[in-house]
Amino acid sequence: MKRVAIAERPDWREKAAEFGFNFHTMYGEPYWREDAYYQFTLAQIDEIESATAELHQMCLQVVETVVDSDELLAKFRIPKHTWEFVRSSWRTNTPSLYSRLDLAYDGVNPPKLLENNADTPTSLYEAAFFQWIWLEDQINAGKLDAQADQYNSLQEKLIERFGELKAQHGFQLLHMACCQDSEEDRGTVQYLQDCAQEAGIATEFLFMEEIGLGEKGQFTDLQNQVIGNLFKLYPWEFMLREMFSTKLEDAGVRWLEPAWKSIISNKALLPMLWKMFPDHPNLLPAYFAEDRHPTLDHYVVKPLFSREGANIKIVKNGQEVARVDGPYGEEGMIVQQFHPLPQFDGNYTLIGSWLVDDRPCGIGLREDREPITQDLSRFYPHIILD
């Protein structure tokens, strides 16, 4: 695994505009970068893929354990009035679409799970589509070896999965929603709409703020059409606490992602994994902050519901060495043994390992000058070349 400098494509910004990649620069800062790429061997990719598959199955075992326990549902801070709703989503095998594991990996030592973005993962479009276009362009321009490949079957797996949702689960029309204030979220949903439509599913977009409640307790769109299937790029931990959460169980909606994802998108997952699979090579020691636990010299404190690095802090020998502010933390914290992200040319690098349904199918890399990856951490493409 190495970081290799390369010349940018001279027309990449025009291509981004052509393909609807409108968030390649955010708040005046570059988000998509292609002045370098990360190079992996096939053996390294095999290690990432194998670890991802195994970790995912372990996470599903956590769901099975948590839904059977009132005590654990409470520990995960899932509101009591939604417990049966969450349990039912698991016990009825409500289908899922995709997720992303965040891994620390240097190409030499086993990948370590930092967290599971199982509910509302972003950086999808750039991982699935735009970095593949970059690879093809750079090979055609003679800037990359003709044998260069990429660990990336995300788009075909997404289209295939949408096809399964239509054929096996009756998804004919899929409403798709996100909040109004994020261009990145809207771009992610637009990309997923394209994939769903490629699989023959009709889609209707609306913002979360536009979802209504009909006379019979069903959720409706702006045309008062009843919503039967809804993909929402909106976190379960928000939804389960909002006023309409009392209506979730009876509304008759099939949600993507399903409500059981509220368990494995929660940082409480990490101490549960460590308890159930102690000393697993792809896990880090992790504990609920309120529980008695071994003293760690160097650790990370994470809120159960944190996103994009918010409210995370790193502590070494009792001294805080890094932190990111934000709105989370009142719900409770976990502590996880610190594991440094590998550094390449002074940048801390994080691997996002993607799954569609239960199948690993690609990676995206983010890097930052700071040790905590955040929403504006830069995205870099990758190749496989032995």
Side-chain angles (χ1 to χ4, degrees):
M1 179 180 174
K2 57 186 178 180
R3 188 181 193 272
V4 183
I6 190 173
E8 294 185 349
R9 294 169 294 167
D11 61 344
W12 77 260
R13 288 171 180 81
E14 288 76 15
K15 287 206 168 183
E18 176 189 348
F19 290 120
F21 188 9
N22 300 317
F23 53 94
H24 61 75
T25 302
M26 291 191 280
Y27 311 106
E29 295 291 327
Y31 167 64
W32 168 269
R33 295 293 298 267
E34 56 177 71
D35 55 315
Y37 61 89
Y38 282 84
Q39 182 173 318
F40 294 83
T41 66
L42 188 56
Q44 289 167 337
I45 293 298
D46 286 345
E47 185 173 22
I48 292 170
E49 183 174 60
S50 176
T52 299
E54 186 170 354
L55 286 165
H56 178 67
Q57 290 303 317
M58 290 156 57
C59 291
L60 297 182
Q61 290 183 55
V62 170
V63 180
E64 183 70 40
T65 300
V66 173
V67 297
D68 283 338
S69 167
D70 288 358
E71 181 184 355
L72 287 173
L73 285 166
K75 194 86 167 168
F76 274 63
R77 306 298 193 269
I78 293 173
K80 187 172 183 178
H81 71 278
T82 68
W83 286 359
E84 289 311 310
F85 173 66
V86 172
R87 283 175 166 143
S88 176
S89 72
W90 176 252
R91 291 170 178 163
T92 59
N93 298 311
T94 305
S96 65
L97 181 62
Y98 73 138
S99 58
R100 190 192 78 230
L101 303 184
D102 283 349
L103 305 174
Y105 181 59
D106 59 5
V108 178
N109 299 294
K112 298 289 189 181
L113 177 67
L114 299 183
E115 60 186 65
N116 187 351
N117 297 276
D119 183 20
T120 58
T122 53
S123 76
L124 176 69
Y125 170 88
E126 47 274 39
F129 181 75
F130 207 67
Q131 70 167 339
W132 183 260
I133 297 295
W134 167 87
L135 175 72
E136 290 184 326
D137 287 348
Q138 295 290 44
I139 290 174
N140 292 336
K143 300 289 180 61
L144 287 175
D145 191 301
Q147 300 303 309
D149 200 357
Q150 195 172 86
Y151 178 40
N152 188 3
S153 61
L154 255 167
Q155 181 161 299
E156 64 188 71
K157 291 286 197 308
L158 284 166
I159 294 169
E160 182 182 333
R161 180 58 177 158
F162 278 120
E164 292 169 357
L165 291 173
K166 181 182 180 183
Q168 299 172 17
H169 300 279
F171 280 63
Q172 300 297 326
L173 171 65
L174 178 61
H175 283 80
M176 307 186 83
C178 66
C179 285
Q180 288 181 318
D181 56 358
S182 173
E183 191 168 23
E184 180 185 7
D185 285 3
R186 181 66 188 98
T188 301
V189 175
Q190 179 62 61
Y191 174 66
L192 285 168
Q193 277 186 267
D194 293 343
C195 291
Q197 288 164 357
E198 187 77 20
I201 295 178
T203 67
E204 293 272 358
F205 177 80
L206 75 167
F207 290 110
M208 291 296 297
E209 296 87 346
E210 295 171 338
I211 296 174
L213 191 64
E215 292 178 7
K216 297 179 181 179
Q218 297 165 305
F219 294 119
T220 57
D221 63 16
L222 290 172
Q223 287 73 45
N224 289 319
Q225 182 176 208
V226 171
I227 296 173
N229 304 302
L230 179 64
F231 171 88
K232 81 313 168 278
L233 201 65
Y234 187 70
W236 273 115
E237 66 261 24
F238 294 174
M239 290 180 65
L240 297 181
R241 284 163 171 75
E242 290 175 352
M243 188 167 55
F244 67 78
S245 64
T246 57
K247 308 293 185 183
L248 288 169
E249 197 164 0
D250 300 322
V253 178
R254 280 187 299 192
W255 302 90
L256 286 175
E257 296 297 324
W260 57 261
K261 287 285 190 88
S262 63
I263 295 172
I264 55 173
S265 61
N266 185 319
K267 304 296 188 302
L269 168 75
L270 301 170
M272 278 298 296
L273 283 169
W274 186 249
K275 181 180 180 180
M276 292 172 64
F277 306 97
D279 301 316
H280 190 282
N282 299 124
L283 295 177
L284 295 166
Y287 309 94
F288 289 99
E290 71 264 24
D291 293 351
R292 292 186 64 182
H293 58 79
T295 300
L296 302 173
D297 293 331
H298 202 174
Y299 59 92
V300 184
V301 181
K302 299 179 177 181
L304 298 191
F305 301 147
S306 172
R307 293 175 177 276
E308 306 286 9
N311 297 99
I312 287 176
K313 64 180 180 180
I314 301 173
V315 178
K316 187 173 185 180
N317 298 322
Q319 299 294 314
E320 188 178 290
V321 295
R323 74 175 296 149
V324 175
D325 292 328
Y328 304 101
E330 289 184 10
E331 69 277 9
M333 301 278 194
I334 64 109
V335 294
Q336 183 182 45
Q337 185 181 76
F338 176 76
H339 185 83
L341 290 174
Q343 284 188 271
F344 296 86
D345 298 339
N347 301 287
Y348 295 93
T349 303
L350 177 76
I351 295 176
S353 186
W354 289 92
L355 301 104
V356 172
D357 194 16
D358 296 318
R359 297 171 292 177
C361 56
I363 57 172
L365 286 97
R366 307 280 300 279
E367 65 172 40
D368 205 297
R369 294 285 180 183
E370 301 298 325
I372 300 174
T373 306
Q374 300 178 60
D375 58 343
L376 294 181
S377 299
R378 301 172 298 279
F379 188 104
Y380 275 86
H382 78 276
I383 69 167
I384 307 170
L385 190 65
D386 277 322

